[in-house]
């Protein structure tokens, strides 16, 4: 039986009282907050999922989003002193209409580390993009000022997130404007712009990495670096913060199967068919990189590697024989060994307490500390080996992909929904902005599947199999790696 995924009821006045109280506390108005609490009987946040961890409180961020609409309203009040000039400059430099500007700000707000609050939980399943002829007519093949809000060093780009879980991060000051962040020469394109299921998916960058196949890609936590690797035994890194500066180096003696940035750092882990896992310091300049550690303990091709999103000194790898190894940075021997049968793929839950292992046609969910198996999910309808898995913290579920089938499971082991097509599925990642949408990599296409409403829309993406996908919550971007030797970035 499919689970009920209808949106939760909207927040009511009592929740508004809580946000007002939160605002007062975060602005050190403790006396006023105490009086407000006593008079309204508002309760401090009952659980952490409601709390929005922003320095100024939810109301401050809410007002920053809707302030432009307020002061630009026809017949509205005059701008308060000190604000009018700033707003005029923004309006003159932005090619978007007022409505589109507000949507862009709202999208940036939704993309930051607020996915768990009650308001966003209610609105996420609604279409955040308005249908307008003006929006469709203003598509361009050049990066516009407002578009670059989603890219590193943009004025609104102040929050970062590791691969799975949003966290606070202070970006270094940089006086360069967003227009200088990307070098639009060479192979950088924006050829594909498509609106589907209320989502505008747009190709931002097309990066020709190699003449050989690319098997994997991964963003750094802050979205500033993008790494890819594959059949050439090399790691390729693009600096999205520095005019797409590209670096590459020989990392293994055989092809690279998976790649993972350590959360909130530039350390990089690579897995290879040479049976090793290696750590690299990607912060250095030039076409070389210092190997910081090499792990040997697998007897066959290492197929997957990932850092724990919470305990970042811990990483996990697995091989084609089903052996799963836990490693600790600085220690040469594996912390623990688990053995199964069949080619494996591992991914940590965003909270870091459990691990999902796709082994053969099943998914094992195990406790990271005890290695106790919590659940065993019996794969997909086509009963073929699983190629990819990914977690969704917003809906507390995971997805797994086999040749012709994609399935979403709740973490308590209940099937949520299944998609079967005569396709060639290979990879998956939940959309960084729309957690009710799973992006599936197949043969030349990426497929957007709204598993809540069961709507499917394919988008032509590459010239061969899309072997890996990775979403960056901090930047609201999606990366796709393909066997055509290309890595693309989508917004």
């Amino acid at each position: 039986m499919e689970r009920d995924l209808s949106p939760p009821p909207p927040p009511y006045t009592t929740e508004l009282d809580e946000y007002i109280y939160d605002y007062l506390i975060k602005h050190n108005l403790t006396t006023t907050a105490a009086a407000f609490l006593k008079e309204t009987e508002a309760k401090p946040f009952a659980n952490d999922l409601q709390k929005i961890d922003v320095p100024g409180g939810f109301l401050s961020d809410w007002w920053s989003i809707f302030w432009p609409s307020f002061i630009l309203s026809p017949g509205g009040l005059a701008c308060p002193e000190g604000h009018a000039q700033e707003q005029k400059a923004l309006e003159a430099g932005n090619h978007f209409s007022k409505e589109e500007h507000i949507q862009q700000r709202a999208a940036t707000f939704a993309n930051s580390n607020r996915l768990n609050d009650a308001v966003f939980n209610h609105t996420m399943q609604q279409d955040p993009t308005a249908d307008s002829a003006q929006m469709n007519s203003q598509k361009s093949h050049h990066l516009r000022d407002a578009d670059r809000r989603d890219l590193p060093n943009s004025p609104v780009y102040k929050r970062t997130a590791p691969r799975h879980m949003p966290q606070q991060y202070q970006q270094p000051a940089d006086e360069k404007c967003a227009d200088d962040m990307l070098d639009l020469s060479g192979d950088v394109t924006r050829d594909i712009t498509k609106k589907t299921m209320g989502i505008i998916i747009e190709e931002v960058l097309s990066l020709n990495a190699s003449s050989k196949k690319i098997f994997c890609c991964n963003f750094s936590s802050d979205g500033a670096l993008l790494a890819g690797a594959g059949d050439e035994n090399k790691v390729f890194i693009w600096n999205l913060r520095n005019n797409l500066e590209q670096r590459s180096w020989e990392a293994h003696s055989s092809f690279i199967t998976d790649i993972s940035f350590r959360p909130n750092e530039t350390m990089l882990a690579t897995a290879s068919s040479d049976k090793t896992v290696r750590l690299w310091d990607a912060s250095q300049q030039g076409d070389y990189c210092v190997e910081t550690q090499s792990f040997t303990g697998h007897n066959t091709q290492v197929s997957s590697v990932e850092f724990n999103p919470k305990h970042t000194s811990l990483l996990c790898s697995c091989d084609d024989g089903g052996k799963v190894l836990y490693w600790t940075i600085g220690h040469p021997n594996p912390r623990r060994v688990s053995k199964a049968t069949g080619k494996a793929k591992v991914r940590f839950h965003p909270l870091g307490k459990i691990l999902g292992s796709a082994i053969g046609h099943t998914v094992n969910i195990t406790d990271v500390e005890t290695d106790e198996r919590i659940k065993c999910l019996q794969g997909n309808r086509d009963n073929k080996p699983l190629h990819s898995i990914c977690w969704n913290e917003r809906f507390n579920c995971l997805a797994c992909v086999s040749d012709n089938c994609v399935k979403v499971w709740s973490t308590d082991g209940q099937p949520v929904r299944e998609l079967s097509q005569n396709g060639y599925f290979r990879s998956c990642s939940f959309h960084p902005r729309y957690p009710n949408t799973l992006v599936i990599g197949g043969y030349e296409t990426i497929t957007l599947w709204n598993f809540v409403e069961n709507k499917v829309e394919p988008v032509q993406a590459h010239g061969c199999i899309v072997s890996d996908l990775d979403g960056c919550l901090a930047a609201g971007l999606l990366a796709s790696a393909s066997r055509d030797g290309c890595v693309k970035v989508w917004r």
Side-chain angles (χ1 to χ4, degrees), residues 385-402:
L386 300 174
H387 303 298
S388 180
I389 60 172
C390 58
W391 291 93
N392 184 329
E393 185 187 5
R394 161 69 167 80
F395 285 97
N396 203 27
C397 63
L398 65 84
C400 55
V401 170
S402 56

Side-chain angles (χ1 to χ4, degrees), residues 162-405:
R163 189 169 190 171
H164 293 298
M165 187 70 179
Q167 290 183 0
Q168 291 282 337
Y169 176 81
Q170 294 296 324
Q171 179 174 307
D174 192 334
E175 295 182 355
K176 288 185 178 182
C177 67
D179 291 342
D180 298 327
M181 289 303 102
L182 293 180
D183 178 4
L184 299 182
S185 61
D187 296 320
V188 178
T189 63
R190 285 170 69 98
D191 293 336
I192 300 174
T193 303
K194 184 171 183 177
K195 180 175 179 182
T196 174
M197 299 187 304
I199 301 174
I200 293 180
I201 183 164
E202 187 172 27
E203 180 184 316
V204 179
L205 303 172
S206 180
L207 307 166
N208 290 331
S210 173
S211 59
K212 297 185 178 181
K213 301 171 183 177
I214 298 295
F215 295 138
C216 51
C217 62
N218 188 221
F219 282 106
S220 62
S221 297
D222 60 1
L225 299 177
L226 174 62
D231 216 10
E232 202 172 339
N233 309 347
K234 290 183 177 182
V235 172
F236 301 89
I237 290 186
W238 295 269
N239 191 329
L240 304 185
R241 185 178 288 166
N242 188 20
N243 298 319
L244 293 179
E245 176 188 62
Q246 179 180 337
R247 301 170 53 211
S248 64
W249 68 90
E250 192 92 10
H252 288 268
S253 60
S254 187
F255 63 86
I256 299 170
T257 57
D258 202 9
I259 195 165
S260 175
F261 275 102
R262 186 179 183 183
N264 287 332
E265 294 191 23
T266 55
M267 178 179 283
L268 189 71
T270 54
S272 171
S273 61
D274 65 8
K275 306 176 186 178
T276 67
V277 173
R278 297 181 182 180
L279 303 183
W280 308 89
D281 181 4
S283 64
Q284 302 176 38
Q285 302 298 317
D287 284 336
Y288 70 95
C289 191
V290 174
E291 179 184 335
T292 60
Q293 192 170 355
S294 179
F295 298 112
T296 57
H298 291 283
N299 300 321
T300 184
Q301 170 181 305
V302 186
S303 54
S304 183
V305 65
E306 187 176 54
F307 283 98
N308 188 298
K310 285 297 186 180
H311 308 287
T312 62
S313 63
L314 177 69
L315 65 157
C316 184
S317 62
C318 62
D319 60 33
D320 281 0
K323 181 188 288 186
V324 178
L325 301 180
Y326 289 88
W327 308 92
T328 301
I329 295 174
H331 296 271
N333 297 319
R335 174 177 168 180
R336 190 168 60 246
V337 179
S338 300
K339 191 71 175 73
T341 303
K343 185 175 181 179
K345 191 87 169 180
V346 291
R347 288 294 180 258
F348 285 103
H349 184 275
L351 297 181
K353 295 181 179 180
I354 57 176
L355 178 77
S357 308
I359 301 176
H361 59 82
T362 64
V363 178
N364 289 331
I365 300 177
T366 55
D367 185 281
V368 171
E369 288 298 323
T370 65
D371 201 34
E372 178 185 357
R373 189 168 73 176
I374 302 171
K375 294 288 180 182
C376 180
L377 312 179
Q378 294 299 320
N380 292 349
R381 184 181 301 173
D382 59 4
N383 205 32
K384 293 184 178 180
L386 300 174
H387 303 298
S388 180
I389 60 172
C390 58
W391 291 93
N392 184 329
E393 185 187 5
R394 161 69 167 80
F395 285 97
N396 203 27
C397 63
L398 65 84
C400 55
V401 170
S402 56
D403 281 356
N404 307 115
C405 190

Side-chain angles (χ1 to χ4, degrees), residues 478-491:
L478 181 79
S480 59
S482 172
R483 296 186 185 182
D484 63 7
C486 184
V487 176
K488 292 189 177 183
V489 180
W490 305 82
R491 183 183 70 84

